[in-house]
Each structure stands twice: as structure tokens, then as C-alpha cells.
Amino acid sequence: MSGPTQCFGPRGVRRGAALTLVFAGVLATAAVTGSLPRGSGKSESFATRSVASTVDRDEVADAAARAVADGKSGKEAAEEVVSRSGDRWGAVYDERQYEEFEQALDGSYTGVGISAKRSADGQVEVARVQPGSPADRAGIEPGDLLRTIDGHRVDKRPVAEVVALLRGDRTEAAEGSTVVLGIGRGEARRTETLRRARLSTEAVTVRRIGPERPDSAAAVMIEVDSFTRGSGTKVRDAVRGAPSDAGVLLDLRGNSGGLVTEAVTAASAFLDGGLVATYDVHGEQRALYAEPGGDTDRPLVVLVDGGTMSAAELLTGALQDRGRAVTVGSRTFGKGSVQMPSKLPGGSVAELTVGHYRTPAGRSVDERGITPDLAVGSRAEQRAETVLSGLGGGS
């Protein structure tokens, strides 16, 4: 992930979260790119619907048009309308911000190379450091505590919010800008000033876990940081390439979401067709289905936490409701609303909430999250490996 300069207010956090690939922004981009499934009769691209304007969308567009006609900023006028609307995940982007966002869907972002999680004692901990990133060069390591960002304490903030603050407002978090992090390691405290860089992410990593015994293959951990383009196929290939008797530990902790199609492809690795999620757009009900032919026999445990968001929650809910996996960890973030994009006068893009998705069992995720089958406050990974072993999946 990356670090911001300021933007600690609700609007800055909301925008930062959307730019961190939450379900909101990703669905909107899917509508633009046509990346959602189409043509099967079971699922459609959001781009094929919701063309007619809604009252809220008209109001935002009208405000932008009036501002542009008066020689003012259409984006600022649209932001004012969205801020008054109560739409928690509504956001307005200028053309450069939206371009940055689309690049993020390809696995490219401007940042310092830090992923965060909640530590066993409730603090914000560095989960991963991207090799070669500014954070790596500064000597920051997994296990270090993130205490402050630009002088503001973050220990009491939700992990998802810290991630949003780390990425920041793209008008300020440009490549080459700086962010000041307060880092703790044991009793030591230090401050690091990092300069953001253009980084490419590895959305999916695969590694063996546990001892490999003559009578059983070691289990496989598949870590999915976000559902950028191609990540679903990487998950499917990792499952197909694992030894036949090896269980899978699917780690979705800190996964802030991504392209819905990629989450559905990942679900298809473990399901033989069937429902993944339903969603509504302006009251019209639609559904997303897995492709047939997935591995339905391999033991599967899914790791989640408070940073598991949006498309990652969609995948978790599908595997849990379909009885395909045991979920371990802590309650997920609770982001289940659907946004749609609108091009505004002046060139900016508004994303407004138009509906919500539900799990196969009909559960709403928005503001509720998903409660894992086994709630674990600490040592979640070790407990997950134990569960996987009990299912006969090695480790």
C-alpha cells in the first residue's frame, strides 16, 4: 500500500478508500471497461444498464454544468452535492485521478510499498513490504508498528481507514511527494520520511506452508492482496498447479477489493458453477455465477480480517454460504454497495451508489461485514493452518 500527506477528514478517507480498489470504484470502472461478464443470460455488464439518469445523478450533473458555465470548477460543485447527499461511498474524480485509478486496476500505483494489518494487541502493524520500494529501502520490516502518518496517530483507526490514509488523496499523493511515518519496533521509535514512487504490485503470491511429509503434500497458501486484472486467473492456476492432496489456505486479509470479474474467477477455482452473488442496480436484480469445473474436493480455509473488503467479501461470502470453505479470522469490513460512473461537464467523473450486493444465502454485507466460522483475535494464521490440517489438507 502507500502513504498520504493529509486528508484525514471523512471525504478524504472516502476518496482514498475508493482509490484503494474498494468494491465501489471497481464496479464503476468495470462498467466503463466492460469487464463484468456479459452474454450468458446469467450475468451482464453494468454498462448495459443504468443508462437513464437518476435524480441524484441529474442533480450532480446540473451542479457541475452550472459551475462550468460560470467559469468555476465543475468537480468542486459536484463534490459539494455528493457531500450533502449522505452517499458514504459517492466520490468525484478529476480526469487525472480517474486515470490513476484505472492504472491501479492493472496493478500499478503511487506509494511507498507498505501493506498494513491489525496486530494481536490491536495496533496497526506492517504486514508486508514490497521489495525495492521506498519502505524497503528505508529499512521498514513486517512486524513494525505504524504509529503515526504525517504526525496523526493511527492506532485507533480501522485498518481499512489506515490503508485509505496511506494512499491518500491523489491530488496530493503524486509520485515524488513525501509522507512522514512514525514507526515502532520493540521499544525503539523512529520517524521515516519516504518519497512516493510508481510501483507495480504482485496481487497474488503462492507459497508452501507446513512440513512436506511422505504421506501428505505440504499445504499451499495463496495470498491475494487485491483483485486487479488477471488475479483471478492466477488464483485458478495456483489451485490447478498444487499437489492433488494439498489443502489451500486462501489469505484475503487486508484485501481491499478489486474487479468483481476477478473475484468471480477466483470463486470459480473452488466451485463447480452456481451462484456467487446477487446485486441490484436501481432495483433491478442481477446475479454473478461461477464457471463450472472448479476443484470442489480440495480442503480450503479462508483467512479474513477487518481489512477484507468489497470484492474480497463477495468471494468470502460465496465460499462460506456454499459450504466450500471454513473461514477463520475476524469480521470483515462491510463494504457491499454498488457504484456507477457518470461523466460530468468539465471532464470529471462522479460515482454514486445505486444498489447493493448479497451473498448466495441472501445476506447483506454492507455495514455488517462477514463473521468468520472461527473467530480468532490473534495467531489467526496458525489457527487456520491447524483447521486446514484437521480437514486433511496438510500443513
Side-chain angles (χ1 to χ4, degrees), residues 99-173:
E99 181 182 357
E100 280 266 354
F101 176 57
E102 290 188 306
Q103 289 175 349
L105 293 175
D106 288 320
S108 175
Y109 72 102
T110 299
V112 296
I114 291 176
S115 296
K117 67 178 182 179
R118 183 70 61 187
S119 68
D121 58 356
Q123 299 186 75
V124 179
E125 181 179 308
V126 175
R128 286 181 289 274
V129 177
Q130 187 170 333
S133 67
D136 184 34
R137 292 194 297 272
I140 296 174
E141 300 177 355
D144 287 349
L145 297 180
L146 266 177
R147 297 190 173 277
T148 61
I149 298 175
D150 288 328
H152 298 264
R153 289 184 57 182
V154 298
D155 55 321
K156 302 297 183 182
R157 297 179 181 268
V159 171
E161 187 173 314
V162 173
V163 170
L165 296 176
L166 283 170
R167 284 211 178 253
D169 188 330
R170 296 301 173 120
T171 62
E172 299 173 4

Side-chain angles (χ1 to χ4, degrees), residues 16 40 48 79 86 105 108 116 119 143 167 191 233-234 282 285 309 319 324 385:
S40 66
T48 65
E79 284 180 325
L105 293 175
S108 175
S119 68
R167 284 211 178 253
T191 299
T233 299
K234 290 180 180 180
H282 298 309
Q285 300 298 314
M309 302 173 65
L319 296 176
R324 181 59 188 90
E385 290 186 25

Side-chain angles (χ1 to χ4, degrees), residues 43-304:
S43 333
E44 303 176 11
S45 165
F46 283 124
T48 65
R49 291 181 311 285
S50 198
V51 176
S53 295
T54 65
V55 175
D56 287 343
R57 187 172 299 166
D58 285 343
E59 184 181 356
V60 173
D62 288 346
R66 288 194 300 270
V68 171
D70 292 339
K72 300 177 181 178
S73 169
K75 177 177 179 289
E76 291 180 3
E79 284 180 325
E80 185 176 347
V81 174
V82 172
S83 68
R84 294 198 311 262
S85 70
D87 186 344
R88 180 185 178 194
W89 295 105
V92 182
Y93 308 101
D94 63 28
E95 291 178 282
R96 186 181 70 83
Q97 290 171 332
Y98 208 70
E99 181 182 357
E100 280 266 354
F101 176 57
E102 290 188 306
Q103 289 175 349
L105 293 175
D106 288 320
S108 175
Y109 72 102
T110 299
V112 296
I114 291 176
S115 296
K117 67 178 182 179
R118 183 70 61 187
S119 68
D121 58 356
Q123 299 186 75
V124 179
E125 181 179 308
V126 175
R128 286 181 289 274
V129 177
Q130 187 170 333
S133 67
D136 184 34
R137 292 194 297 272
I140 296 174
E141 300 177 355
D144 287 349
L145 297 180
L146 266 177
R147 297 190 173 277
T148 61
I149 298 175
D150 288 328
H152 298 264
R153 289 184 57 182
V154 298
D155 55 321
K156 302 297 183 182
R157 297 179 181 268
V159 171
E161 187 173 314
V162 173
V163 170
L165 296 176
L166 283 170
R167 284 211 178 253
D169 188 330
R170 296 301 173 120
T171 62
E172 299 173 4
E175 182 177 0
S177 61
T178 59
V179 60
V180 181
L181 303 181
I183 302 294
R185 182 182 300 172
E187 298 299 319
R189 302 286 186 272
R190 75 182 194 275
T191 299
E192 293 287 350
T193 300
L194 306 182
R195 191 173 297 277
R196 297 181 182 89
R198 173 62 63 178
L199 301 171
S200 295
T201 62
E202 186 62 46
V204 179
T205 56
V206 183
R207 60 184 174 91
R208 298 288 180 90
I209 54 175
E212 188 164 353
R213 301 182 298 272
D215 60 337
S216 177
V220 174
M221 174 177 279
I222 303 175
E223 299 176 70
V224 188
D225 284 342
S226 60
F227 287 108
T228 53
R229 291 186 179 97
S231 58
T233 299
K234 290 180 180 180
V235 171
R236 185 179 59 198
D237 291 346
V239 173
R240 290 176 177 174
S244 59
D245 58 346
V248 169
L249 182 56
L250 182 63
D251 189 355
L252 300 179
R253 291 175 297 177
N255 184 317
S256 53
L259 289 164
V260 173
T261 40
E262 300 298 338
V264 172
T265 299
S268 300
F270 304 103
L271 300 171
D272 186 14
L275 186 64
V276 174
T278 60
Y279 59 90
D280 63 278
V281 175
H282 298 309
E284 293 186 59
Q285 300 298 314
R286 295 292 185 267
L288 298 167
Y289 290 85
E291 294 294 325
D295 188 333
T296 60
D297 297 323
R298 187 186 302 274
L300 174 64
V301 173
V302 180
L303 262 173
V304 296

Side-chain angles (χ1 to χ4, degrees), residues 371-391:
T371 301
D373 301 310
L374 177 60
V376 181
S378 62
R379 300 179 61 84
E381 186 172 325
Q382 292 88 333
R383 293 291 297 277
E385 290 186 25
T386 299
V387 171
L388 187 61
S389 178
L391 295 174

